[in-house]
Structure formats: C-alpha cells, structure tokens
Amino acid sequence: MIDPAFNLLLPHIQGAPPQSLWLADENLLGAQLAPRSNIRMIANRLDLVQAARARGWQADWSDFDLSAIPAGSIARVIYRVSKEKPLVHHNINQALRVLRTGGELMLSGDKGEGIKGYLERTRTLFAGQGDFEKASANCWLGVFTRPEQPGLTLDDKNYAQLREACADTQFQYWSKPGVFGWDKIDKGSAFLIEHLDTFVTELPAPPARILDLGCGYGYLSLQAARLGAPVTATDNNAAAIAACERNFAAHGIRGEVIPASCGDGIDGPFELILCNPPFHAGFSVEDDLTERFLSAAARLLARNGIAAFVVNRQIMLERRAASRFARIQTLAENRSFKLVLLAGAKTGA
Ligand SMILES: C[S@@+](CC[C@H](N)C(=O)[O-])C[C@H]1O[C@@H](n2cnc3c(N)ncnc32)[C@H](O)[C@@H]1O
C-alpha cells in the first residue's frame, strides 16, 4: 500500500540524527524500510513491531507510552498522524516533552485526516517555531523546532487513561481512545452475542475453552464468560490489550489476555472461537488479514468446535473460508451484518 503522506517523511527518516524517534502508527510500509541504528521506533501494533524487529529495527510495542524516555533527550521525532484525534494530540504532546530544545518534530498527514488543523495547533504549541506546506495533492508536511517556552499542550482527552467508557445491563466496560470503537458496544459484536446462546447448543458439550480473536476491550469475552469456560482474549493493539486486561480484572473473568498478531503463538484447541475481525472490503492488505484470521481459526479450533465470525454483509467470508472449513453456514443476517459459523477445520488448511 502506498501512503503518500508517509512518503513525505522518508527523507527525514533517512537523514535522521542520532537519538531520533519514529512514532509509527499503522504505517504498513514502515516495516519494509532498511533499519537505522539512530532511530528508535514505537508502534502500538504488535505486527508492525515484530516485522520491524525482524528487519533489524530497534522497535518497542506500547500504547505510545513515552514516559520512560527522559524529557529533552530526543533530537528528532518523526510522525505520520494517526486516525484518532486524541492519539494524535497525545503523540504531539509527548513529542514536545521528549524533544530537546532545538530538536525537530516532522509531522505529515492527509487533508481528509485534518492534517492542516494538526499542523496549525502544533505550530502554536511550538510557539510559532516551524512551518508547514502542502507537499502534494492532498498531503501536508510540517517541520517544527522545540522552543524553550512552548504553548499550552493539546487536548488529548486524557488519552493514556483507562476509564469506564460504556455499559450495558451486565457490565461497565473499561476502555480508552486508541481501542477500536472504544466508547461504544459495536453493533456487529452485539449481533453475534444476540445469537450466542442459540449457536452454542450445536456444540456436543459446553465449551472447555473459549477464544476471542481480535478482542478489543473485551466485549465478546465478557459476554461469553457466562458459558462457564475460561476465555483467552487476544489482540495486536497495545491499547486494546490494556483495556481488556482491566475488564478481565474488574469483572473477575477467568482466562488470559495475550498480545499476538492474528493469534500467532497461541495454543489451541478451543471449542468456541468468537471473532469480529478487522476486515474491510476492497483492500489487498486486508485480504491478507482475512486469510490470517481464518487460518488462525482453523488451526486453533477443536475438532468438534465452532467458530463464529460476524462481518459486514458485503464481505465474502464464506467464499474465503471454503478452503479451510468443511461446514460454513450463514446463521443470521440483518441490514448490516452477517454471522457466519465455521466448523470442521480441514487439516493442513
Ligand atoms: C472489529 S474490532 C473488534 C473488537 C472487539 N472484538 C469488539 O467486539 O469490540 C477488530 C479487532 O481486531 C484487532 N486487530 C487488528 N489487526 C489485528 C491483528 N493483526 N492481530 C490481532 N488483532 C488484530 C483490532 O485491534 C480490533 O481490536
């Protein structure tokens, strides 16, 4: 995937001085860059970090927690803005804190993501020291110099803090910005849970272990815990893992929360797998994600187990799953979602 906004940062990555920091959010291209020993990369997605480490980068996985980096110790911060405003503001504020006086922040993004607003607010925060320009059709690049006396920090909605973000009749859910749909119950996940008690009756016995693949803050896990089995929840996003751990602790959920990309490294078998996957129609990179989630479900599903995937109606999940599962059944549909049951994982799929 070509990301023109990210490309604007390449010369600044290549020419970075010692003690540089790259905040890499969803930059799928990033992991393919040749490593640079003078740059430390931080990303909130475990797959990005693992791919970067495999190429020789010094890369840390965290929810952009820079608190261990001493204030004023960094020469350059490189950041292509993320999708979510509280996270962008958090990262810009953190960049200001860790930069030494005279250090530089390189910021790029796309018009549709509100980059102009970010650049204007950053210039105010950096006391007017810096500038930005439209570098291509929709992409902007800003370069700012850390002043001795900065302006007021940007409103990050208390990004780092977990909070009671939403509730239903059973649970208050702890979550935070940075987690998928962090302050609401996802309609697709709620649709899956509406049918949970029906489709578990298809299991020959109550499940002994349950897997929540791509758990977010843990909505499916908390709901499924009523079946009585321990729940393993897994996600690749650092904010999601922190929120899910908090929900397991707050509500006494039996099981474990494991950071992993597409369930890699997790041991099965699970009699019940629940998944609201991060699939979107039409992107080739997402195709790969679809394959990886389906392959994880096939690998981890118990012989008599059931995997329940909820996806947008236009996703051709049934077709994609055909090579891996003997039984594929669309159990329910509404105007937006369908719930697909997968069983009989083919060996070697
Ligand atoms: C549609 S959300 C569902 C979240 C949660 N299960 C819920 O019901 O609210 C998809 C989740 O998949 C996670 N995800 C994305 N890519 C992943 C990957 N490579 N490995 C594991 N999880 C991933 C996202 O972080 C997100 O939490």
Side-chain angles (χ1 to χ4, degrees), residues 69 74 85 98 109 231 332:
I69 301 177
I74 298 293
K85 189 168 176 178
V98 299
V231 184

Side-chain angles (χ1 to χ4, degrees), residues 139-155:
C139 295
W140 292 71
L141 173 70
V143 178
F144 305 94
T145 306
R146 171 52 157 112
E148 240 169 87
Q149 299 292 332
L152 291 178
T153 52
L154 308 182
D155 179 12

Side-chain angles (χ1 to χ4, degrees), residues 49-73:
V49 169
Q50 287 171 338
R53 281 184 190 153
R55 290 186 69 85
W57 283 86
Q58 185 198 339
D60 297 330
W61 180 69
S62 82
D63 185 13
F64 295 105
D65 176 6
L66 309 193
S67 58
I69 301 177
S73 63

Side-chain angles (χ1 to χ4, degrees), residues 47 180 186 189 212 214-216 220 235-237 260-262 276-278 289 293:
D47 47 343
F180 163 83
D186 181 70
S189 297
D212 178 355
C215 60
L220 296 175
D235 206 288
N236 75 337
N237 174 291
S261 182
C262 303
N276 176 356
L289 211 51
F293 268 73

